[in-house]
Amino acid sequence: MLKVIAEDFIQPEAIEIVLPLYRELVEATKREPLCIAYDLYVDEKDIGHFIFIEEWPDRAALDEHCASEHFKRLVPMIDQYKRKEATYILMGAFDENNDTRLFNQ
Amino acid sequence: MLKVIAEDFIQPEAIEIVLPLYRELVEATKREPLCIAYDLYVDEKDIGHFIFIEEWPDRAALDEHCASEHFKRLVPMIDQYKRKEATYILMGAFDENNDTRLFNQ
């Protein structure tokens, strides 16, 4: 299991432009057969701060997502309006059953 | 709906000490009646970087969690071993049906 947090920081004046791009990206990604979860949230204190919480079976599935037509078309369109670089964290689940092995993948 | 990402940064030499504290915190929080989700992950590139992804019905439920016996006892114990300040983001869901209203709560 691979969990991902990806954060975008969009210029305030461009929010209305990126909303339909995000909507299309979420809808197309949720239709990918390997996508377990791909949910988009907005920071309550900063409406230009968009946060994806994703889940994929493994790194290969994430790479396939990043190579998809919709990702390669829509992400550069969204990135035109960024106010700073996007960030991401790749994570494993905290393993509740084993102190010495942090990841359950 | 209130989604939360809370990030802790623990000293590398203290990881084995905090693991059982995190385990107890997760188990006790999941038993709170208002808790929708409270899952802990670890950054693949930094095993001292712990990330909670939480979901609560509203801010009052989150406040109740932060006032719980297990939170007030365990979080300061974990914080003794932090290497920098924890961060958190409170988020609303991206509303797929309405461009002009970003939060669905």
Side-chain angles (χ1 to χ4, degrees):
Chain A
M1 193 282 300
L2 176 65
K3 200 84 181 174
V4 179
I5 293 173
E7 300 182 50
D8 284 352
F9 303 88
I10 301 298
Q11 299 161 14
E13 63 275 18
I15 288 169
E16 292 296 322
I17 300 169
V18 300
L19 291 179
L21 304 174
Y22 278 128
R23 181 173 304 113
E24 187 180 349
L25 181 60
V26 170
E27 288 174 358
T29 301
K30 284 179 181 287
R31 287 194 297 266
E32 291 180 38
L34 295 177
C35 176
I36 299 168
Y38 193 79
D39 296 304
L40 183 55
Y41 300 92
V42 184
D43 187 336
E44 287 193 347
K45 290 186 177 166
D46 175 359
I47 59 166
H49 181 194
F50 293 88
I51 303 101
F52 289 94
I53 301 180
E54 312 176 19
E55 190 168 329
W56 303 93
D58 52 32
R59 181 59 190 254
L62 175 61
D63 290 344
E64 199 169 313
H65 162 62
C66 295
S68 67
E69 181 278 332
H70 48 270
F71 186 97
K72 291 197 293 183
R73 176 171 49 85
L74 294 164
V75 171
M77 289 173 72
I78 293 167
D79 276 355
Q80 290 181 71
Y81 303 102
K82 69 186 175 195
R83 61 174 200 255
K84 65 174 182 175
E85 286 303 312
T87 65
Y88 64 94
I89 314 170
L90 305 187
M91 304 171 291
F94 179 76
D95 184 345
E96 297 189 350
N97 302 313
N98 190 336
D99 275 357
T100 60
R101 196 172 140 275
L102 281 169
F103 301 101
N104 69 355
Q105 61 186 122
Chain B
M1 194 281 301
L2 176 65
K3 200 83 182 175
V4 178
I5 293 173
E7 300 182 51
D8 283 353
F9 302 88
I10 301 298
Q11 299 161 13
E13 63 275 18
I15 289 169
E16 293 296 321
I17 301 169
V18 299
L19 290 180
L21 304 174
Y22 277 127
R23 181 172 305 111
E24 186 180 351
L25 182 59
V26 169
E27 288 174 358
T29 303
K30 283 179 181 286
R31 286 196 296 268
E32 291 180 38
L34 295 177
C35 177
I36 299 168
Y38 194 79
D39 296 303
L40 182 56
Y41 300 92
V42 184
D43 187 335
E44 287 195 347
K45 292 186 176 167
D46 176 358
I47 60 166
H49 181 195
F50 293 88
I51 303 102
F52 289 94
I53 300 179
E54 312 177 18
E55 190 168 329
W56 302 93
D58 52 30
R59 181 61 190 254
L62 175 62
D63 290 344
E64 199 168 313
H65 162 63
C66 295
S68 67
E69 181 279 331
H70 49 270
F71 186 97
K72 290 196 295 183
R73 174 171 51 84
L74 294 164
V75 171
M77 290 173 72
I78 293 167
D79 276 354
Q80 290 181 74
Y81 302 103
K82 70 185 174 195
R83 61 174 201 254
K84 66 175 182 174
E85 286 304 312
T87 65
Y88 66 92
I89 314 170
L90 305 187
M91 303 171 292
F94 180 75
D95 184 344
E96 297 189 352
N97 301 311
N98 190 337
D99 273 359
T100 58
R101 196 172 141 273
L102 281 169
F103 301 100
N104 69 354
Q105 60 186 122

